[in-house]
Amino acid sequence: MSTFKLEIVATDKIFFSGDAEFVTLPALDGEMGIMPEHDTMVVAVKAGELRYTVNGTVNDCAVGDGFAEILGDRVTVICDFAEHDFDIDVMRAESAKERAEERIKAKRSQIEYVHSQAALARAMARLKVTSKMKQNR
Ligand code: ATP
């Protein structure tokens, strides 16, 4: 199976660094699948689900906003946060979602609206990944 070097860098850590067979990114205009020898490009990544395959095993995780550089034999993802499905605290994400929704409803200021939308997107990304984990059990 051919592979490429995948590096996923979050704000606080190198989340993954190694050889991968496939990665699916939450790109701005939808899901994007990348195989070895993909065309060179830079894409914006939005908060959502990222899946990467290593030795035939699919690893599911939530990532935050960022970007990805695709260079044929190397893919680098730089993002706000990255968490494996099994590391996500569902109750915390549900509380964060509720708080963000309350703040959006309160319509306090434009800046608070933008921050709340971003917090909501992060919580939704975490909940999407964990709900799939439950379904696969
Ligand atoms: P919260 O309001 O619950 O802190 P947040 O979206 O503001 O959520 P972030 O600023 O994205 O949180 O993350 C801060 C740190 O907490 C990061 O290290 C992130 O990985 C971790 N984190 C945030 N939410 C969760 C969660 N639901 N489960 C596990 N780790 C989380």
Side-chain angles (χ1 to χ4, degrees), residues 6-19:
L6 174 65
E7 185 144 281
I8 304 171
V9 183
T11 315
D12 56 342
K13 57 183 174 277
I14 295 179
F15 177 74
F16 177 79
S17 181
D19 295 329

Side-chain angles (χ1 to χ4, degrees), residues 12-13 80-83 87-90 92-93 96 99 119 122-123 126:
D12 56 342
K13 57 183 174 277
D80 187 19
F81 69 85
E83 291 144 15
D87 280 332
I88 295 171
D89 178 338
V90 177
R92 178 173 169 179
R99 276 198 311 279
R122 294 196 295 275
R126 291 174 172 128

Side-chain angles (χ1 to χ4, degrees), residues 46-63:
K46 62 176 182 176
E49 181 184 17
L50 180 151
R51 294 185 302 277
Y52 62 96
T53 308
V54 175
N55 294 328
T57 300
V58 180
N59 300 277
D60 209 356
C61 47
V63 293

Side-chain angles (χ1 to χ4, degrees), residues 59-96:
N59 300 277
D60 209 356
C61 47
V63 293
D65 292 341
F67 68 90
E69 180 188 51
I70 301 150
L71 290 176
D73 66 342
R74 179 173 291 275
V75 175
T76 308
V77 181
I78 298 184
C79 52
D80 187 19
F81 69 85
E83 291 144 15
H84 282 114
D85 50 4
F86 50 78
D87 280 332
I88 295 171
D89 178 338
V90 177
M91 300 248 289
R92 178 173 169 179
E94 276 168 356
S95 307

